[in-house]
Amino acid sequence: MRYAEVKEMYDDPFHLDESSAIQYLRNIFEFHFQNTPYWHAVEKKRGIDLDSIFEGSLEETVEKIFNSSLSIESDELRENWLGFLPRNYKGKLRFYQSSGTTGPRSFCHWDHEYVDLLVFYLRRALDEVYHLDETYNDSHQLRALLHGPYGWYQEEMSELIWSYGGILYFVATETEGLKKILEKEGIKAAMKYLAPLVRYTQRVLERDEINLIRTAVQLLDIFKPFGENLETIMLSGTSTTPEVIKHYQDYFENSVFIPLYGYFAFGDAIGMYTEKEIRYYPNYPFTVILPLVPENGRYRIAKYGERGLTGIIIARPEILIVKIEDEFITRVPPIKPFEWDGFANPSREGVSC
């Protein structure tokens, strides 16, 4: 399985029929069961019957995947990341680590060709939903400042900003253990921890007219004195709620708010918000996210409007991950331009960040 094959299927990120998505997932599972040490061992030990799994609708297929004991534990990827790399894989591979904000770091590899497809999806979605192509052009340059960890995020967002002809300030900082600091000592201690990021952010804002930012809710107050220039505010993290966006819209009257759901192994999902919820739509079929409800010793996909645990399938030529996160989401139906189910209002126990 190579990206050359994938690109033939993916000429439009919003029009992929269900049968093609199922066939794509089957091809990815077959490839990794044959070529990837971890998945080859799983298939050999358990004798997974792919014919029975990939029979029926996409919803039925996803349920059968999670009910075939294929979900990995967090420690599997953290301790055995090389086991998820296909043998003799040819591509532009790079290993990244998760930010460590909410838990111990994990490693994961990406093929650079996926970054191209991810940015293709993000760009099309941002233009369709938020009309960024009408805001930023040759006569009005995008000037961006982003907060966040090094890794996939920096690469993805750099390519996205450059696709608009923009320039980028990337202000990164160490975030390992930040959630624990928030839980134990509160926001003041966390801001002290992030002092270098705050200092360099203010320095840039004082010297350049930044018109697009991406940050966390907890850091938005830094930008209040410079709100007049801000046209686009991208927010990520489970602290991003409809109530928070509504609150900050009073301070940033000239800004469009764009919620994003970031994950170190697949990148970003585009969010759309109303007063009641924020809906996210991932980069389908490379990433499938649906809420799972435990019932009689098995999992079923939640009904529309029902909450469940976050079931994630990351299926690409270079990586296959099936995982159930300790995070709750609500299932929501497709909404244009997206033609697949999304999820809404992700939340974790304790302090979100």
Side-chain angles (χ1 to χ4, degrees):
M1 171 63 70
R2 298 292 300 275
Y3 271 97
E5 302 171 53
V6 174
K7 288 178 178 178
E8 293 177 4
M9 165 199 76
Y10 199 66
D11 60 344
D12 186 333
F14 302 132
H15 296 93
L16 183 70
D17 62 71
E18 184 171 291
S19 61
S20 297
I22 293 172
Q23 186 59 53
Y24 168 78
L25 290 172
R26 172 162 188 151
N27 291 344
I28 291 292
F29 273 76
E30 285 182 343
F31 174 78
H32 284 284
F33 278 15
Q34 294 171 9
N35 296 284
T36 302
Y38 174 85
W39 291 113
H40 182 71
V42 168
E43 196 281 331
K44 188 175 181 180
K45 180 179 180 180
R46 301 177 189 169
I48 306 297
D49 183 3
L50 290 179
D51 287 333
S52 64
I53 290 177
F54 290 93
E55 183 180 63
S57 67
L58 180 62
E59 182 174 335
E60 292 169 330
T61 296
V62 171
E63 278 190 350
K64 284 184 280 189
I65 287 171
F66 283 104
N67 285 315
S68 298
S69 301
L70 294 177
S71 179
I72 68 171
E73 300 294 330
S74 295
D75 286 342
E76 292 277 10
L77 194 57
R78 186 175 300 121
E79 302 296 335
N80 185 31
W81 65 89
L82 287 175
F84 291 86
L85 178 66
R87 296 185 185 91
N88 301 315
Y89 183 85
K90 306 298 183 184
K92 297 178 180 179
L93 290 178
R94 181 180 294 168
F95 280 89
Y96 296 100
Q97 58 183 349
S98 60
S99 66
T101 304
T102 59
R105 294 189 188 278
S106 293
F107 278 102
C108 184
H109 57 275
W110 285 40
D111 189 321
H112 185 74
E113 291 196 65
Y114 173 63
V115 178
D116 295 338
L117 295 179
L118 175 60
V119 171
F120 177 51
Y121 147 80
L122 291 172
R123 176 67 194 264
R124 285 288 303 275
L126 289 170
D127 291 348
E128 289 268 352
V129 178
Y130 295 104
H131 309 292
L132 289 197
D133 57 335
E134 299 175 14
T135 303
Y136 304 108
N137 46 51
D138 291 340
S139 60
H140 182 59
Q141 188 179 38
L142 191 162
R143 307 181 78 86
L145 186 150
L146 308 183
H147 291 151
Y150 293 111
W152 64 263
Y153 168 78
Q154 182 183 20
E155 190 164 352
E156 167 203 318
M157 292 302 297
S158 296
E159 295 289 346
L160 179 64
I161 297 302
W162 296 333
S163 77
Y164 287 97
I167 63 171
L168 170 63
Y169 294 90
F170 187 79
V171 185
T173 190
E174 176 59 63
T175 58
E176 185 173 11
L178 184 57
K179 181 179 179 181
K180 290 183 179 179
I181 293 175
L182 278 165
E183 289 175 337
K184 293 180 179 179
E185 304 176 52
I187 188 64
K188 287 186 178 180
M191 293 302 290
K192 185 177 180 180
Y193 183 83
L194 296 172
L197 177 142
V198 174
R199 183 168 63 252
Y200 290 119
T201 296
Q202 290 173 331
R203 183 180 179 186
V204 171
L205 293 171
E206 289 167 357
R207 300 289 289 273
D208 203 344
E209 293 186 0
I210 299 302
N211 53 38
L212 182 149
I213 63 170
R214 179 170 178 177
T215 189
V217 167
Q218 293 87 345
L219 298 173
L220 265 179
D221 287 347
I222 302 172
F223 297 92
K224 283 182 179 179
F226 309 93
E228 186 176 341
N229 295 329
L230 295 182
E231 298 160 339
T232 308
I233 297 176
M234 295 178 170
L235 295 173
S236 50
T238 55
S239 292
T240 305
T241 64
E243 295 77 18
V244 164
I245 291 178
K246 185 177 181 180
H247 169 76
Y248 276 103
Q249 280 176 328
D250 293 336
Y251 294 98
F252 301 99
E253 296 179 353
N254 301 324
S255 303
V256 173
F257 285 77
I258 302 177
L260 300 168
Y261 181 93
Y263 190 94
F264 82 104
F266 65 74
D268 278 308
I270 293 288
M272 305 170 69
Y273 67 92
T274 67
E275 290 186 358
K276 294 184 178 180
E277 64 185 6
I278 298 178
R279 297 183 173 190
Y280 295 97
Y281 293 87
N283 189 19
Y284 172 93
F286 309 112
T287 307
V288 177
I289 302 178
L290 288 168
L292 302 172
V293 179
E295 194 172 83
N296 300 321
R298 295 175 63 80
Y299 290 105
R300 66 168 174 83
I301 294 176
K303 302 172 184 176
Y304 289 128
E306 185 179 17
R307 287 181 76 72
L309 291 168
T310 303
I312 299 177
I313 300 172
I314 300 167
R316 307 199 301 267
E318 80 274 26
I319 186 78
L320 174 63
I321 297 174
V322 179
K323 205 167 186 296
I324 300 175
E325 296 282 1
D326 189 18
E327 179 173 289
F328 291 91
I329 56 176
T330 302
R331 184 182 177 189
V332 293
I335 185 171
K336 289 185 177 181
F338 307 102
E339 296 186 357
W340 56 92
D341 287 342
F343 62 96
N345 299 342
S347 65
R348 301 188 185 102
E349 295 180 3
V351 177
S352 300
C353 56

